[in-house]
Amino acid sequence: MATNGDMSTEGIAVDNGHKSTNGHTATSTYKPLASSFSNSNGKKALKIADDLAKSLETPEEKVCRTFWFDIYKFSAMKVGVDVGFFNFPAGSAGTTFSADELGQECGVETRLLSRFLKVLAAEGFVDESGTNRFRSNGVTVVMSDYNFQGLVNEQFEIGLGIAHALPEYLKSNHYKEPTDAHATVFRHVKNTDKTTFGWFADPANAQALSNNTRHMTAKNKMARRWFEVVDTYSVLGEASGAEAPLLVDVGGSNGSDATALLRACPKLKGSIVVQDLEFPIVDSKNKLPSGIVGQVYDFFTPQPIFGAKNYFLHMVLHDWPDAQCRQILGNQKKAMVRGHSKILINEIVVPDQGAGWYEMGVDMIMMTCLSATERTETEWRNLIESSGLVLSEILGCDGEWEKVLVVDLP
Ligand SMILES: C[S@@+](CC[C@H](N)C(=O)[O-])C[C@H]1O[C@@H](n2cnc3c(N)ncnc32)[C@H](O)[C@@H]1O
């Protein structure tokens, strides 16, 4: 494979001439223009550019593009993950290659591969640098990431099937909004009597669980986390003693969030406990750094840690309809100490107007997989108040989609 030093059309390319992981020399590092802005300004700039692009496309083109092209770009990406063609050129952006060279590496007929590469190039997943010649860009690099490939696998193998079944499901349910945690579209499509979390925990679905875990890891890499954009020390405060609980990460999975928090803020005072169901806690055993302990805890039962400074819930409540959220919050509330404890909810707040692909993409996943929802500020306030708590503040997190809702006892 050859290289060139062209400026990437996708962003600002920096010529550093380093070697990619597969040994091919690459000459540029993808640096999207968005990284030149603060996130809130970057999102505004993207919205303006997006509105301009929408106004330049005819309505007929928009409809046909969506139903002719968009559905097959998922196939092209999945084929790319399956045969590993993202892994070959993508140690860094700027590696050029021909369809023939890549076809030989992946064992795919050149012409077939070339057709998929053209689909991906039309969508910006790779650049075209000549006739049947391509050049990896920043998106190609992301697609070579193990965790992002888990995201693609999960959404292709589960998400697309659900999206396809959704209209018929809703029709047969007389278009009632799914709000019953025990009757999900996921359950209908998978033809299972298990809950979604129960289905993933079944050893028969170990591969799907692995994709799901990789998907969650990829998601957490996409944006800055709350503790990278707020004054974390002052938001968390201090525990009542060096060994006392500073933060209980309720539904904290395998502790990757807590680990990143402690890495970013090593001077936090007090202990950190990650609570979850058995599988993630067993999985995290021996992997958590000192200062963090794992504990098996079902959040539909009373919180066993009394008087922690912070009970932290990251993307947990969005998994549940309001009735179950009230049970979860109620169980934390009983463990809180007035004037000391608070709950931090790290979640999307859907804007009343102008919600975008992130908020609504996650909302659709929640609706179909869990009969749950993303919530607007008003909906959060109603949920929190109807749980006997007070929403004291929403930390905006410099335009990141996931905010921090600070919740106190009344
Ligand atoms: C969407 S994940 C969020 C994980 C983590 N907080 C994060 O943001 O990366 C929801 C978590 O809730 C956990 N969970 C589901 N039901 C639970 C229950 N009854 N008790 C405790 N944890 C539960 C899942 O295992 C999963 O780790």
Coordinates of all heavy atoms in Angstrom, one line a residue, residues 107-162:
G107 N -9.3 -11.4 1.3 CA -9.9 -12.6 0.6 C -11.3 -12.3 0.0 O -12.2 -13.1 0.0
V108 N -11.4 -11.1 -0.5 CA -12.7 -10.7 -1.2 C -12.4 -10.3 -2.6 O -11.4 -9.7 -2.9 CB -13.3 -9.5 -0.4 CG1 -14.7 -9.1 -1.1 CG2 -13.6 -9.8 1.0
E109 N -13.3 -10.7 -3.5 CA -13.1 -10.4 -4.9 C -13.0 -8.9 -5.1 O -13.8 -8.1 -4.5 CB -14.3 -10.9 -5.8 CG -14.3 -12.3 -6.1 CD -15.6 -12.7 -6.8 OE1 -16.2 -11.8 -7.5 OE2 -16.0 -13.9 -6.7
T110 N -12.0 -8.5 -5.9 CA -11.7 -7.1 -6.1 C -13.0 -6.2 -6.5 O -13.2 -5.2 -5.9 CB -10.7 -6.9 -7.2 OG1 -9.5 -7.6 -6.8 CG2 -10.3 -5.4 -7.3
R111 N -13.7 -6.7 -7.4 CA -14.8 -5.9 -7.9 C -15.9 -5.7 -6.8 O -16.5 -4.6 -6.6 CB -15.4 -6.4 -9.2 CG -16.3 -5.4 -9.9 CD -16.5 -5.7 -11.4 NE -17.2 -4.6 -12.0 CZ -18.5 -4.4 -11.8 NH1 -19.2 -5.1 -11.0 NH2 -19.1 -3.3 -12.4
L112 N -16.2 -6.8 -6.2 CA -17.2 -6.8 -5.1 C -16.7 -5.8 -4.0 O -17.5 -4.9 -3.5 CB -17.4 -8.2 -4.5 CG -18.3 -8.3 -3.3 CD1 -19.8 -7.9 -3.7 CD2 -18.3 -9.7 -2.7
L113 N -15.5 -5.9 -3.6 CA -14.9 -5.1 -2.6 C -15.0 -3.6 -3.0 O -15.3 -2.7 -2.2 CB -13.5 -5.5 -2.2 CG -12.8 -4.7 -1.1 CD1 -13.5 -5.0 0.2 CD2 -11.4 -5.0 -1.0
S114 N -14.6 -3.4 -4.2 CA -14.6 -2.0 -4.8 C -16.0 -1.4 -4.7 O -16.2 -0.2 -4.4 CB -14.1 -2.1 -6.2 OG -14.4 -0.9 -6.8
R115 N -17.1 -2.2 -4.9 CA -18.4 -1.7 -4.9 C -18.8 -1.3 -3.4 O -19.4 -0.2 -3.2 CB -19.4 -2.7 -5.4 CG -19.3 -2.9 -6.9 CD -20.0 -4.1 -7.4 NE -21.4 -3.9 -7.5 CZ -22.3 -4.8 -8.0 NH1 -21.8 -6.0 -8.3 NH2 -23.5 -4.6 -8.1
F116 N -18.4 -2.1 -2.5 CA -18.6 -1.7 -1.1 C -17.8 -0.5 -0.7 O -18.3 0.4 0.1 CB -18.3 -2.9 -0.1 CG -19.4 -3.9 -0.1 CD1 -19.1 -5.3 -0.4 CD2 -20.7 -3.6 0.1 CE1 -20.1 -6.2 -0.3 CE2 -21.7 -4.5 0.1 CZ -21.4 -5.9 -0.1
L117 N -16.5 -0.4 -1.1 CA -15.7 0.7 -0.8 C -16.3 2.0 -1.3 O -16.2 3.1 -0.7 CB -14.3 0.5 -1.3 CG -13.4 -0.5 -0.5 CD1 -12.1 -0.8 -1.2 CD2 -13.1 0.1 0.9
K118 N -16.9 1.9 -2.5 CA -17.5 3.1 -3.1 C -18.7 3.6 -2.3 O -19.0 4.8 -2.1 CB -17.9 2.9 -4.6 CG -16.7 2.9 -5.5 CD -17.2 2.5 -6.9 CE -16.1 2.2 -7.9 NZ -15.4 3.4 -8.3
V119 N -19.5 2.6 -1.8 CA -20.6 2.9 -0.9 C -20.0 3.7 0.4 O -20.5 4.7 0.8 CB -21.4 1.7 -0.4 CG1 -22.3 2.0 0.7 CG2 -22.1 1.0 -1.6
L120 N -19.0 3.1 0.9 CA -18.4 3.7 2.1 C -17.8 5.1 1.9 O -17.9 6.0 2.7 CB -17.3 2.7 2.7 CG -17.9 1.4 3.3 CD1 -16.8 0.5 3.7 CD2 -18.8 1.7 4.5
A121 N -17.2 5.2 0.7 CA -16.6 6.5 0.3 C -17.7 7.5 0.2 O -17.5 8.7 0.6 CB -15.8 6.4 -1.0
A122 N -18.8 7.1 -0.4 CA -19.9 8.1 -0.6 C -20.4 8.6 0.7 O -21.0 9.7 0.8 CB -21.1 7.4 -1.4
E123 N -20.3 7.8 1.8 CA -20.7 8.2 3.1 C -19.6 8.8 4.0 O -19.8 9.2 5.1 CB -21.3 6.9 3.8 CG -22.1 7.2 5.1 CD -23.2 8.1 5.0 OE1 -23.7 8.4 3.8 OE2 -23.6 8.7 6.0
G124 N -18.4 8.8 3.4 CA -17.3 9.4 4.2 C -16.6 8.5 5.1 O -15.8 8.9 6.0
F125 N -16.8 7.2 5.0 CA -16.1 6.2 5.9 C -14.7 5.9 5.4 O -13.9 5.3 6.1 CB -16.9 4.9 6.0 CG -18.0 5.0 6.9 CD1 -19.2 5.6 6.6 CD2 -18.0 4.4 8.2 CE1 -20.3 5.8 7.5 CE2 -19.0 4.5 9.1 CZ -20.2 5.2 8.7
V126 N -14.4 6.3 4.2 CA -13.1 6.2 3.6 C -13.0 7.2 2.5 O -14.1 7.6 2.0 CB -12.8 4.7 3.1 CG1 -13.8 4.4 1.9 CG2 -11.4 4.5 2.7
D127 N -11.8 7.7 2.1 CA -11.8 8.7 1.0 C -11.4 7.9 -0.3 O -10.7 6.9 -0.2 CB -10.7 9.7 1.3 CG -11.0 10.6 2.5 OD1 -12.2 10.7 2.8 OD2 -10.1 11.2 3.1
E128 N -11.8 8.5 -1.4 CA -11.3 8.0 -2.7 C -10.2 8.8 -3.1 O -10.2 10.1 -3.1 CB -12.5 8.1 -3.7 CG -13.3 6.9 -3.8 CD -14.4 6.9 -4.8 OE1 -15.2 7.9 -4.8 OE2 -14.5 6.0 -5.7
S129 N -9.1 8.2 -3.5 CA -7.9 9.0 -3.9 C -7.6 8.8 -5.4 O -6.6 9.3 -5.9 CB -6.7 8.6 -3.1 OG -6.4 7.3 -3.2
G130 N -8.4 8.0 -6.1 CA -8.2 7.8 -7.5 C -9.1 6.7 -8.0 O -10.0 6.3 -7.2
T131 N -8.9 6.3 -9.3 CA -9.8 5.3 -9.7 C -9.5 4.0 -9.0 O -8.3 3.5 -9.1 CB -9.6 5.1 -11.3 OG1 -9.9 6.3 -11.9 CG2 -10.6 4.0 -11.8
N132 N -10.5 3.4 -8.3 CA -10.2 2.2 -7.5 C -9.1 2.3 -6.5 O -8.5 1.3 -6.1 CB -10.0 1.0 -8.4 CG -11.4 0.3 -8.7 OD1 -12.2 0.3 -7.8 ND2 -11.5 -0.2 -9.8
R133 N -8.8 3.6 -6.1 CA -7.8 3.8 -5.1 C -8.5 4.5 -3.9 O -9.3 5.4 -4.2 CB -6.6 4.6 -5.6 CG -5.8 3.8 -6.5 CD -4.3 4.4 -6.6 NE -3.6 4.2 -5.4 CZ -3.0 3.1 -5.0 NH1 -3.1 2.0 -5.7 NH2 -2.4 3.1 -3.8
F134 N -8.2 4.2 -2.7 CA -8.8 4.7 -1.5 C -7.8 5.1 -0.5 O -6.6 4.7 -0.6 CB -9.8 3.6 -1.0 CG -10.8 3.2 -1.9 CD1 -10.6 2.2 -2.8 CD2 -12.0 3.9 -2.0 CE1 -11.5 1.8 -3.8 CE2 -13.0 3.5 -3.0 CZ -12.7 2.5 -3.8
R135 N -8.3 6.0 0.4 CA -7.4 6.4 1.5 C -8.1 6.4 2.8 O -9.2 6.9 2.9 CB -6.9 7.9 1.1 CG -5.9 8.5 2.1 CD -5.5 9.9 1.7 NE -6.6 10.7 1.5 CZ -6.8 11.4 0.3 NH1 -5.9 11.4 -0.6 NH2 -7.9 12.2 0.2
S136 N -7.5 5.8 3.8 CA -8.2 5.8 5.1 C -8.3 7.2 5.7 O -7.4 8.0 5.5 CB -7.4 4.9 6.1 OG -6.1 5.4 6.3
N137 N -9.4 7.5 6.4 CA -9.5 8.8 7.1 C -9.9 8.5 8.5 O -9.8 7.3 9.0 CB -10.6 9.6 6.3 CG -12.0 9.0 6.4 OD1 -12.3 8.2 7.3 ND2 -12.8 9.3 5.4
G138 N -10.3 9.5 9.2 CA -10.5 9.4 10.7 C -11.6 8.4 11.0 O -11.6 7.6 12.0
V139 N -12.6 8.3 10.1 CA -13.7 7.4 10.3 C -13.3 5.9 10.1 O -13.6 5.0 10.9 CB -15.0 7.7 9.4 CG1 -16.2 6.9 10.0 CG2 -15.3 9.2 9.4
T140 N -12.4 5.7 9.1 CA -11.8 4.4 8.9 C -11.1 4.0 10.2 O -11.1 2.8 10.6 CB -10.8 4.4 7.7 OG1 -11.2 5.4 6.8 CG2 -10.8 3.0 7.0
V141 N -10.3 4.9 10.7 CA -9.6 4.6 12.0 C -10.5 4.1 13.1 O -10.3 3.1 13.7 CB -8.7 5.8 12.4 CG1 -8.0 5.5 13.7 CG2 -7.7 6.1 11.3
V142 N -11.6 4.9 13.3 CA -12.6 4.5 14.3 C -13.2 3.1 14.0 O -13.3 2.3 14.9 CB -13.7 5.6 14.4 CG1 -14.8 5.1 15.3 CG2 -13.1 6.9 15.1
M143 N -13.4 2.9 12.7 CA -14.0 1.6 12.4 C -13.0 0.4 12.6 O -13.4 -0.7 12.5 CB -14.5 1.6 10.9 CG -15.7 2.4 10.7 SD -17.2 1.7 11.5 CE -17.3 0.1 10.7
S144 N -11.7 0.7 12.8 CA -10.8 -0.4 13.0 C -10.7 -0.7 14.5 O -10.0 -1.6 14.9 CB -9.4 0.0 12.5 OG -8.8 1.0 13.3
D145 N -11.4 0.1 15.3 CA -11.4 0.0 16.8 C -12.2 -1.2 17.2 O -13.4 -1.4 16.8 CB -11.9 1.3 17.4 CG -11.9 1.2 18.9 OD1 -12.7 0.5 19.5 OD2 -11.1 2.0 19.5
Y146 N -11.7 -2.1 18.0 CA -12.3 -3.3 18.5 C -13.7 -3.0 19.1 O -14.7 -3.7 18.8 CB -11.4 -4.0 19.5 CG -12.0 -5.2 20.2 CD1 -12.1 -6.4 19.5 CD2 -12.4 -5.1 21.6 CE1 -12.6 -7.5 20.2 CE2 -12.9 -6.3 22.2 CZ -13.0 -7.4 21.5 OH -13.4 -8.6 22.2
N147 N -13.8 -2.0 19.9 CA -15.1 -1.7 20.6 C -16.1 -1.1 19.6 O -17.3 -1.5 19.7 CB -14.8 -0.7 21.8 CG -14.0 -1.4 22.8 OD1 -14.4 -2.6 23.2 ND2 -13.0 -0.8 23.3
F148 N -15.7 -0.3 18.7 CA -16.6 0.3 17.7 C -17.1 -0.9 16.8 O -18.3 -0.9 16.3 CB -16.0 1.4 16.9 CG -16.2 2.7 17.6 CD1 -15.2 3.2 18.5 CD2 -17.3 3.5 17.5 CE1 -15.4 4.4 19.2 CE2 -17.5 4.7 18.1 CZ -16.5 5.1 19.0
Q149 N -16.3 -1.9 16.5 CA -16.7 -3.0 15.7 C -17.8 -3.8 16.5 O -18.7 -4.4 15.9 CB -15.5 -3.9 15.3 CG -14.6 -3.1 14.4 CD -13.6 -4.0 13.7 OE1 -13.4 -5.2 14.0 NE2 -12.8 -3.4 12.9
G150 N -17.7 -3.8 17.9 CA -18.7 -4.5 18.7 C -20.0 -3.7 18.6 O -21.1 -4.3 18.5
L151 N -19.9 -2.4 18.5 CA -21.1 -1.5 18.3 C -21.8 -1.9 17.0 O -23.0 -2.1 16.9 CB -20.7 -0.1 18.4 CG -21.7 1.0 18.2 CD1 -21.2 2.3 18.8 CD2 -22.1 1.3 16.8
V152 N -21.0 -2.0 15.9 CA -21.5 -2.3 14.6 C -22.2 -3.7 14.6 O -23.3 -3.9 14.2 CB -20.4 -2.3 13.5 CG1 -20.9 -2.8 12.2 CG2 -19.9 -0.8 13.4
N153 N -21.5 -4.7 15.2 CA -22.1 -6.0 15.3 C -23.4 -6.0 16.0 O -24.4 -6.6 15.6 CB -21.1 -7.0 16.0 CG -19.9 -7.3 15.2 OD1 -19.9 -7.2 14.0 ND2 -18.8 -7.7 15.9
E154 N -23.5 -5.4 17.2 CA -24.7 -5.4 18.0 C -25.8 -4.7 17.2 O -26.9 -5.2 17.1 CB -24.5 -4.7 19.3 CG -25.8 -4.6 20.0 CD -25.8 -4.2 21.5 OE1 -25.4 -3.1 21.8 OE2 -26.1 -5.1 22.3
Q155 N -25.6 -3.5 16.7 CA -26.6 -2.8 16.0 C -27.1 -3.5 14.7 O -28.3 -3.5 14.4 CB -26.2 -1.4 15.7 CG -26.2 -0.5 17.0 CD -27.5 -0.5 17.7 OE1 -27.8 -1.3 18.6 NE2 -28.4 0.4 17.3
F156 N -26.2 -4.2 14.1 CA -26.5 -4.9 12.8 C -27.3 -6.1 13.2 O -28.4 -6.4 12.6 CB -25.3 -5.2 12.0 CG -25.7 -5.6 10.6 CD1 -25.8 -4.7 9.6 CD2 -25.9 -7.0 10.3 CE1 -26.2 -5.0 8.3 CE2 -26.3 -7.3 9.0 CZ -26.4 -6.4 8.0
E157 N -26.8 -6.9 14.2 CA -27.4 -8.2 14.5 C -28.7 -8.1 15.3 O -29.6 -8.9 15.2 CB -26.4 -9.1 15.2 CG -25.3 -9.5 14.2 CD -24.0 -10.0 14.9 OE1 -24.0 -10.2 16.1 OE2 -23.0 -10.2 14.2
I158 N -28.8 -7.1 16.1 CA -30.0 -6.9 17.0 C -30.8 -5.7 16.6 O -32.0 -5.8 16.3 CB -29.6 -6.9 18.5 CG1 -28.9 -8.2 18.8 CG2 -30.8 -6.7 19.3 CD1 -28.5 -8.3 20.3
G159 N -30.1 -4.6 16.5 CA -30.9 -3.3 16.3 C -31.6 -3.3 15.0 O -32.8 -2.8 15.0
L160 N -31.0 -3.7 13.9 CA -31.7 -3.6 12.6 C -32.9 -4.5 12.6 O -34.0 -4.2 12.0 CB -30.7 -4.0 11.5 CG -29.8 -2.9 10.9 CD1 -29.0 -3.4 9.7 CD2 -30.7 -1.7 10.4
G161 N -32.8 -5.7 13.2 CA -34.0 -6.6 13.2 C -35.1 -6.0 14.0 O -36.3 -6.1 13.6
I162 N -34.8 -5.3 15.1 CA -35.8 -4.7 15.9 C -36.5 -3.5 15.1 O -37.7 -3.3 15.1 CB -35.2 -4.2 17.2 CG1 -34.9 -5.4 18.1 CG2 -36.2 -3.2 17.9 CD1 -34.3 -5.1 19.4

